[in-house]
Structures are given as C-alpha cells and as structure tokens.
Amino acid sequence: MKITIGEIARQANVSKGTVSRVINGKSTVAEHTRKNVLAVMKRLGYAPDPVARELSMRTKHTLGIWVGAGENRLSPYFSRIWRALLREMQLRATQFVELPEDITGVRTRFDAVLIFHSDEVDARLALLQERGIPPVLIGHHPGISCVAPDDVGGGRLAGLSLLSLGHRNLLHLTVAAEATWAKDRANGFKAAFAGAAGAGLTYAEARGEASVLGGYRLMRDAWKAGHRPTGVFCATDEMAVGALGALADLGVAVPAQVSVVGFDGLVELHPGLASVAQDIPAIAHQAVSLALAAIGKDAVRKTIVPVSLIQGTTLGPAPK
C-alpha cells in the first residue's frame, strides 16, 4: 500500500500542510514537530518522489557561503558541518557558491550569504549591506539572523555532570581567541558551580589553541604547574583528545583520577569520549531555512539549537 502524507499526518497528529512543510524543508515548523514527522516517515518507510519534490522546491536562489579567514578547514568539526550544509542545500535544490576571503572583485549575484564563524563579521556585514545581500551567521551577532548551538546550556550541562559525580577540583581548557562561542561555554560552565563556591570547590582556566596539540599542551603544562583537577572540561572535542593524550603520557588514569568532558559530539575522535553534542544536521537545516527566510524579507530571527550530553567512559565519579 502506498503511504500518503494524509496517513503520516494522522499518525503524527498534525495537519497534512505541516507534513508538506516538513518534506519541503520550510522553516515555519517547530523543531520538535519536524523531528516527530520525520520519525513517523521513517517508521512507515515513506520516501517522497524525488522528481516531484525537486520540482516543488526548485528555486532560482543562489546562496553564498563565506568562511572566516582563520577557520581550520581540516578540522573534524568543520568537515562535519560543511557536509551537513551542502547536503541541506542539495535537498532544497538551492544553488550555492563558496565565496573567497575577499569578495570585492566578485560580481556573481547572491540572494543571501551564510557566514561561518568569522572573526571579521562587522567588516563582512558592511560589504554585504553595500550590495543589499541579507546575511545569516552560524554563530552570534546582534541585528542579523543567526543560528548556534546552546553553548551556554552546554557548558552548564558539562559543569553539572561533573558536580553530580562529586568533582570539586575543576579545570577548563579553552581557546585564547575572544570567540563568543568559547565565552558562552565558559560562562555556562562557571554558572553550574556558582552556588558551590563555598564547598571546597577550586576552579582554574587555561587558554591556548583549539586543536589536539593545543589541548595536549594546556593539560600537560597545567599538571606540571601543580594543578590537580579531578574534572576537566574542554571547549572542543579536539582539545579533549589532546588533554587525554597528555594525561596518558603523565601516567594519570582516566576516569579513575581525572574525568574529561569535551564539546561538539565528535566522539569518533576518541573511543568513549564524554562530550556535549551539537545537533549539526539541525544547525545546517536552520541555517539554510533562515537564509531562505531572509530572502523573503522575513524578520530577523535568532535560533538556538539544543545540545545533549554523551555519557562516555572518560567521565566517572571523583576519586575518594
């Protein structure tokens, strides 16, 4: 029997119009509703007719993707979100072009531009404004449409997970750059234990490169300087992998002596890594949805995508 959108709507307890909007990737559907409809479609084995779907969704819009000059394109995180963005635009039958660092000589007309984690946001926004091109940022910035993971909530989640396991000597390894996402994760982490400051809690912060080597150096140097944390929160999973390497070289057992929690959800980088996971497909979906909405002159919107904790084997109770 052929599965219809009417049957999907009945089982998902939504209207047929809502199912149609989910299939066509519209941004006007709440995230929990979208996931519910997709789950019903998967359970019923429903697959939209790709030809009909592309014809219904085909647009003449062209999106530019503008990557920051300092972005590490070889990083696992960048690779994952880049693939998710390209897949999302392909699903929407939307044309896309990667922009060079300097677009002053680019004459191609773009209907909207996705800016990815750029440190030069203000300068880039000024250039786009001159050309009348609406921007969407994967990150945070006032006055424009943005999408980002819940960095504050994720930092708090990491802190609460360590506190709940009895950890009171805490170390945060973060980046030296003044990045908003790093500040938010640090603020969320500190907010988790703000009320426990008088309960023998100690906290230290070390700053360095957002890489495996950066995490290794920060963890090694902190330990050699006399810090003895039982719980370590790293601003990225790559830094967490480096910290784990340093602890192994120092002869420190994980998690028997020290627990380590990362951020991003790239647990394939290290078997058993505990991490605050971003929903990267949802971020990509929202980014493209915001760009298409901006083309339609919709109001500026800021979307925060929820995160979750992956309970890996690098997270355990504080030592007695």
Side-chain angles (χ1 to χ4, degrees):
M1 182 180 74
K2 184 178 180 180
I3 304 298
T4 65
I5 64 171
E7 179 60 21
I8 296 168
R10 187 184 68 80
Q11 295 202 26
N13 197 28
V14 298
S15 69
K16 289 194 288 186
T18 297
V19 176
S20 179
R21 287 193 292 275
V22 170
I23 292 173
N24 291 325
K26 301 296 184 182
S27 63
T28 52
V29 182
E31 187 62 19
H32 68 276
T33 302
R34 186 177 75 88
K35 288 185 175 180
N36 178 41
V37 172
L38 290 174
V40 172
M41 289 168 57
K42 183 176 181 180
R43 176 161 52 80
L44 296 178
Y46 176 82
D49 182 330
V51 175
R53 185 169 183 269
E54 182 168 339
L55 286 173
S56 70
M57 292 178 62
R58 189 181 300 277
T59 71
K60 296 179 181 178
H61 301 314
T62 300
L63 300 184
I65 306 180
W66 206 354
V67 180
E71 189 63 41
N72 180 10
R73 294 167 176 269
L74 299 178
S75 74
Y77 175 75
F78 181 85
S79 297
R80 182 179 285 191
I81 198 164
W82 183 258
R83 289 196 304 270
L85 283 169
L86 298 188
R87 174 173 170 75
E88 190 66 33
M89 286 186 278
Q90 288 166 347
L91 287 172
R92 307 284 188 97
T94 302
Q95 300 178 70
F96 58 90
V97 176
E98 183 182 357
L99 296 175
E101 253 178 68
D102 182 5
I103 68 163
T104 52
V106 176
R107 293 292 171 257
T108 305
R109 172 67 194 180
F110 297 97
D111 298 290
V113 169
L114 287 174
I115 304 175
F116 183 82
H117 281 190
S118 176
D119 293 333
E120 316 89 18
V121 174
D122 289 326
R124 295 190 175 213
L125 290 178
L127 274 173
L128 293 176
Q129 187 175 16
E130 286 177 11
R131 300 189 178 195
I133 303 173
V136 170
L137 177 68
I138 298 178
H140 302 275
H141 199 277
I144 63 171
S145 289
C146 305
V147 58
D150 187 359
D151 291 312
V152 174
R156 185 183 299 113
L157 188 58
L160 291 174
S161 67
L162 289 167
L163 286 178
S164 68
L165 291 168
H167 294 278
R168 293 298 180 270
N169 299 320
L170 304 174
L171 173 65
H172 180 39
L173 306 184
T174 187
V175 299
E178 291 296 313
T180 302
W181 60 266
K183 291 179 187 176
D184 286 348
R185 294 174 192 183
N187 289 337
F189 185 57
K190 287 181 279 191
F193 53 80
L201 184 143
T202 64
Y203 167 77
E205 183 176 281
R207 294 171 173 266
E209 296 178 5
S211 64
V212 173
L213 181 58
Y216 183 96
R217 287 171 171 166
L218 288 175
M219 188 71 251
R220 177 200 61 193
D221 293 348
W223 196 269
K224 289 186 175 180
H227 291 287
R228 291 297 181 267
T230 66
V232 178
F233 172 47
C234 300
T236 71
D237 283 342
E238 290 176 74
M239 296 179 79
V241 171
L244 289 167
L247 290 169
D249 287 350
L250 290 164
V252 180
V254 176
Q257 292 175 265
V258 177
S259 287
V260 177
V261 181
F263 199 115
D264 285 333
L266 306 177
V267 293
E268 67 275 10
L269 297 181
H270 187 283
L273 176 63
S275 176
V276 177
Q278 300 187 38
D279 188 342
I280 291 177
I283 292 171
H285 175 81
Q286 291 296 335
V288 177
S289 296
L290 287 173
L292 296 177
I295 294 168
K297 307 299 183 184
D298 286 8
V300 167
R301 291 213 323 267
K302 298 185 186 301
T303 302
I304 300 296
V305 178
V307 296
S308 59
L309 180 68
I310 298 174
Q311 295 272 5
T313 55
T314 63
L315 176 61
K320 300 296 183 183

